[in-house]
Amino acid sequence: MNNGTMKAVGVHPGKREVALLRHPAPRISAPTELKIRTIEVGICGTDREICTFAYGSPPDDCDYLVLGHEALGEVIEVGPRVTAFKPGDLVVPTVRRPCPHSHCVSCRDARQDFCFTGDFTERGIKMVHGYMTEYFVEDQVHLNAVPPDLRDVAVLVEPLTVAEKALAQLWQVQRRLNWGGNGAAPGAGKTAVVLGAGPVGILGAMALMVRGFRTWVYSRSPEPNPKAELVNSIGAKYISSETVPLAEFARMTGPIDVVYEAVGVAKITFEVMKILGLNGAFIFTGIPPEKPAIPVEADTLMRRIVLMNQAIIGTVNADRTAFEDAIRDLGLFKERWPDSLRKLISGLHPLENYRELLLGKAAGIKNVITIGA
Ligand SMILES: [Zn+2]
Ligand SMILES: [Zn+2]
């Protein structure tokens, strides 16, 4: 830090620029706020898309947006009314902030992940600066405590919340079948398919595995490849859609109870919908860019959805419970698959490498920027 400013990586939509910039260092301005030193920030497809200027908007009073929404930090200063944290604590912040409208029952209930108005904001994405910088200030209600022994993997908490919120909804929907989230292994004897082997897919596969599901990951790249190795190392089964056609894949899996889509590509996703089993649930998490229309076997799908009691669920963002579940699950993953979990983080990079990470060809599994040691 110098002259009250610090290093930050941001996008400048007006100039269509991604840059390393000097950003004012934040200060605590409310009694329940904390100042946090950023340790690590994960990079994902959302960041890379913001850098194509497809979306992402700066705060009203600024012409750039500081990127970064997957962060781990250390508390260095607390406001006088902070009760839940002290300096030295490790924290992972949530991303979405509530809309201002009194009639939005979700936001008023701290469930801004189900905001009804669309006027929510998101740190590092929509109208609030993100965490790809040296320090940030946040209210205690938007922070989650992380145990020190998860420090090396806690940057994965945010991407894991995608699966946690999806699973919470899966239990709700499948309560119609007497499935429950209360048993030790609610997925025991059931089959799940994860579409895509990026970080969201692999973390989703881990979350399904610890709940007892027989888990398959269907993804494009032929074996051998590092993602396939990682998937197989946790006891899930990686199958390449390039070498194993859908019909053959369906014969291998038998009836599918859950599909967890984490690929963001409509074509393969709607094809796989044709092999979802009786009373199954299909969960969409990917956000494909706008593209020309493609043919889909709509009548076949509609027949199957109705005649087979299928539930199709879309899910975005995550609530506090999903963050708490993710922190607890990361602990389980680390106990069960310490090496595989660490391999998910395929690269640690200095902030100065932002250009290659955000604009270069996507490489590795999860790339992470290290800001403070
Ligand atoms: Zn992300
Ligand atoms: Zn709202």
Side-chain angles (χ1 to χ4, degrees):
M1 233 191 327
N2 56 36
N3 305 328
T5 66
M6 54 185 189
K7 287 188 283 188
V9 171
V11 286
H12 201 304
K15 293 196 224 159
R16 295 181 76 83
E17 244 174 49
V18 183
L20 184 61
L21 31 94
R22 300 300 309 182
H23 180 63
R27 269 194 227 138
I28 291 179
S29 63
T32 51
E33 285 181 349
L34 300 84
K35 185 165 176 180
I36 293 137
R37 186 175 62 82
T38 314
I39 297 173
E40 288 178 344
V41 182
I43 290 185
C44 76
T46 300
D47 302 303
R48 294 171 57 86
E49 251 186 277
I50 294 174
C51 291
T52 68
F53 310 99
Y55 57 91
S57 45
D60 280 337
D61 57 357
C62 193
D63 50 12
Y64 60 85
L65 171 76
V66 174
L67 284 171
H69 57 274
E70 304 180 0
L72 167 68
E74 181 187 341
V75 175
I76 55 163
E77 195 186 327
V78 297
R81 285 179 48 208
V82 168
T83 48
F85 302 93
K86 58 180 191 312
D89 284 354
L90 296 180
V91 288
V92 168
T94 60
V95 179
R96 191 177 282 191
R97 302 292 170 262
C99 77
H101 308 291
S102 59
H103 61 271
C104 183
V105 291
S106 292
C107 286
R108 301 292 68 80
D109 192 30
R111 287 305 304 259
Q112 52 266 27
D113 58 314
F114 282 120
C115 177
F116 278 102
T117 70
D119 290 337
F120 58 82
T121 59
E122 286 175 336
R123 290 203 69 151
I125 302 171
K126 186 178 180 231
M127 301 179 79
V128 199
H129 290 305
Y131 309 118
M132 220 176 271
T133 183
E134 296 173 74
Y135 300 90
F136 61 94
V137 161
E138 189 51 88
D139 194 282
Q140 62 177 353
V141 298
H142 301 305
L143 296 171
N144 302 279
V146 174
D149 59 329
L150 291 183
R151 185 185 177 112
D152 59 337
V153 290
V155 73
L156 299 172
V157 167
E158 200 279 342
L160 176 57
T161 61
V162 180
E164 299 295 348
K165 181 176 169 184
L167 284 167
Q169 292 173 88
L170 178 67
W171 307 136
Q172 282 190 340
V173 170
Q174 299 301 62
R175 213 173 279 157
R176 64 191 183 152
L177 303 172
N178 243 337
W179 287 25
N182 43 8
K190 302 184 180 79
T191 297
V193 168
V194 175
L195 265 181
V200 171
I202 295 175
L203 288 165
M206 289 178 167
L208 289 159
M209 288 289 297
V210 296
R211 286 165 179 83
F213 285 92
R214 212 177 304 113
T215 305
W216 302 75
V217 176
Y218 198 46
S219 188
R220 199 179 51 199
S221 308
E223 290 185 80
N225 69 70
K227 293 173 181 175
E229 265 167 45
L230 212 167
V231 164
N232 292 331
S233 75
I234 63 164
K237 185 84 192 95
Y238 181 95
I239 303 289
S240 160
S241 59
E242 270 183 12
T243 40
V244 178
L246 190 67
E248 193 183 333
F249 178 59
R251 275 194 298 276
M252 294 165 87
T253 64
I256 297 168
D257 298 292
V258 182
V259 176
Y260 178 71
E261 178 277 320
V263 69
V265 178
K267 188 170 184 295
I268 182 72
T269 298
F270 281 89
E271 279 168 15
V272 171
M273 204 181 274
K274 285 189 302 193
I275 62 167
L276 179 64
L278 271 162
N279 311 320
F282 198 104
I283 306 170
F284 281 88
T285 78
I287 308 172
E290 294 284 350
K291 279 189 207 149
I294 56 164
V296 168
E297 289 173 67
D299 290 290
T300 303
L301 284 174
M302 188 166 161
R303 273 178 69 84
R304 288 179 61 94
I305 291 168
V306 172
L307 293 175
M308 299 175 79
N309 289 306
Q310 293 172 341
I312 314 293
I313 304 162
T315 180
V316 71
N317 200 252
D319 63 325
R320 174 180 276 280
T321 306
F323 274 81
E324 289 165 357
D325 292 348
I327 292 165
R328 190 206 53 227
D329 269 356
L330 264 190
L332 287 178
F333 300 172
K334 195 171 174 177
E335 252 174 65
R336 204 153 152 184
W337 311 294
D339 296 337
S340 309
L341 188 62
R342 247 174 262 118
K343 277 189 195 144
L344 234 161
I345 300 175
S346 50
L348 294 172
H349 311 265
L351 193 65
E352 285 70 20
N353 282 14
Y354 71 96
R355 193 162 279 281
E356 176 193 334
L357 296 168
L358 291 163
L359 304 169
K361 197 176 172 318
I365 306 177
K366 172 59 83 181
N367 283 299
V368 170
I369 287 183
T370 306
I371 296 178

